Each structure stands twice: as structure tokens, then as C-alpha cells.
Amino acid sequence: MKKKTFRNLHRDLGYFYIGLIVSFALSGLMMNHREYWHPEKYTTETKSITVKLPAESEINEKFAEDLGNQLGIDDKFRRHNVKKEVFKISFEKHDVEIDMKTGKGEIVSFVKTPIISQTMKLHKSTSNFWIYYSDVFALSLIIIALTGTIMVKAGKFSFKERGWKLALAGILFPLIFLFLLG
């Protein structure tokens, strides 16, 4: 293929995927910091509660759903768990946290953040269509990266002279990170 064809392919794929690249990048940034804040949702109300809980061994999904109903939560049940002596119940629009020893806790009501919650959903989608589209997107990113290596003509800024060093550093950095964290 001619260099001009690679340049056109690089440009056109870049234009076509610009929205997906930006939305993935922004939602990825937000997901990286989801332990400290919840970009997908925002709190509309927090209500203190006190309940009598059974022994941890008696807490199951049915108990969690029934407790949600008793607390006036008319919402789709998602999951429950007990971690570090805190009983947590997650609903679609509510979170409940209760201290296992004292029975004191709170109900947090929230609403999905427009646009942000939808873009973050892209990272979690398991729809067959989305998986195939994401595969095509991933292959296109590889093509964008590779065609970008030949776009600069020979000289001190070409891939042959300078680009390969940056590419190698870009490959090594995440690998080092994986080994240090793994």
C-alpha cells in the first residue's frame, strides 16, 4: 500500500471513532477513581435508620429483599453482602448500609448522572452486538496506531529515528506496572 493510503485510513478511522475514543477515555478516567466518588450516580437523599439484624449466618438474599420492603424501598434488588461487620444492600436507585453490631445505618437514594452513566455503561456492556463492535473498534485502534508510525517521513522525528524509542517505552511502562502490581 502507498503511504498516502495509510494516511487516509489513519485519518478516516480517527474521524469515525473520535466519539467512542473520547467517551471511553472519559468514562475510563471516571471508573479509575470510582472508589472515591460515584460519577455514575448522585445522592438525592440520605436517611438514617436503626434496625434489628439477625446473626450474619441468617442473612440471605430473601432477608435482604424483605428488609428493603420493610424500609419502604420499592426498587429493583441487585445484591447484598456483609463485609467488615457492615451489611450492605444494593438496589437500582438505593444503597443501604447497616452496622451489624448496632443496627444503625442509612439509606442513600440516588439518581443516575445523565450522559456520564451511559458512557460508563459502555465499559460494562455484555451485549453481543457491543462486544463485536468493540472488537472492530479494538482492531481499528491497532490500525490507527500502526498507520501512525509511518505518517512522518524520514528524518529526526520519524518512527525509525525517534518513534520506536517512544513506542518501546509505551509498551514497557504498562508491563512494568503489571509486574509490580501483580
Side-chain angles (χ1 to χ4, degrees):
M1 272 191 179
K2 294 181 181 179
K3 199 177 277 195
K4 188 172 182 169
T5 305
F6 284 128
R7 182 179 295 273
N8 291 342
L9 182 61
H10 180 89
R11 179 200 62 222
D12 292 346
L13 286 173
Y15 287 160
F16 183 78
Y17 286 113
I18 194 165
L20 194 55
I21 292 168
V22 170
S23 63
F24 259 46
L26 290 175
S27 61
L29 281 168
M30 289 181 258
M31 284 187 73
N32 286 344
H33 302 283
R34 67 186 175 272
E35 285 184 31
Y36 308 106
W37 66 299
H38 298 283
E40 264 187 288
K41 57 188 180 184
Y42 61 91
T43 302
T44 57
E45 178 187 13
T46 302
K47 179 180 166 186
S48 295
I49 55 169
T50 303
V51 297
K52 186 169 170 42
L53 294 174
E56 184 177 336
S57 60
E58 296 177 39
I59 293 177
N60 57 32
E61 188 171 309
K62 180 166 178 14
F63 175 81
E65 286 187 77
D66 290 345
L67 181 59
N69 288 332
Q70 291 171 22
L71 294 170
I73 299 172
D74 183 25
D75 200 354
K76 182 181 175 192
F77 176 80
R78 288 193 167 170
R79 65 189 151 278
H80 77 285
N81 68 31
V82 178
K83 227 186 244 184
K84 297 180 183 176
E85 298 192 26
V86 176
F87 177 39
K88 296 181 180 183
I89 312 172
S90 177
F91 296 89
E92 196 165 296
K93 296 178 184 171
H94 298 83
D95 286 332
V96 179
E97 288 192 15
I98 305 168
D99 183 289
M100 289 293 293
K101 289 181 180 176
T102 65
K104 293 183 179 188
E106 64 182 16
I107 301 171
V108 176
S109 302
F110 57 86
V111 175
K112 297 280 185 184
T113 307
I115 301 170
I116 291 174
S117 65
Q118 286 86 356
T119 58
M120 290 183 74
K121 204 173 193 178
L122 294 175
H123 284 277
K124 302 173 189 176
S125 178
T126 56
S127 131
N128 281 338
F129 168 77
W130 189 251
I131 289 170
Y132 294 129
Y133 185 76
S134 295
D135 289 347
V136 171
F137 174 60
L139 292 171
S140 295
L141 286 177
I142 292 168
I143 291 169
I144 290 169
L146 294 176
T147 55
T149 64
I150 59 167
M151 288 182 55
V152 176
K153 295 180 181 174
K156 67 180 183 176
F157 297 113
S158 70
F159 186 78
K160 186 177 178 182
E161 293 296 320
R162 176 183 170 166
W164 72 270
K165 297 171 193 167
L166 293 170
L168 182 62
I171 292 168
L172 290 176
F173 186 75
L175 290 176
I176 291 168
F177 223 55
L178 285 172
F179 289 119
L180 291 177
L181 296 176

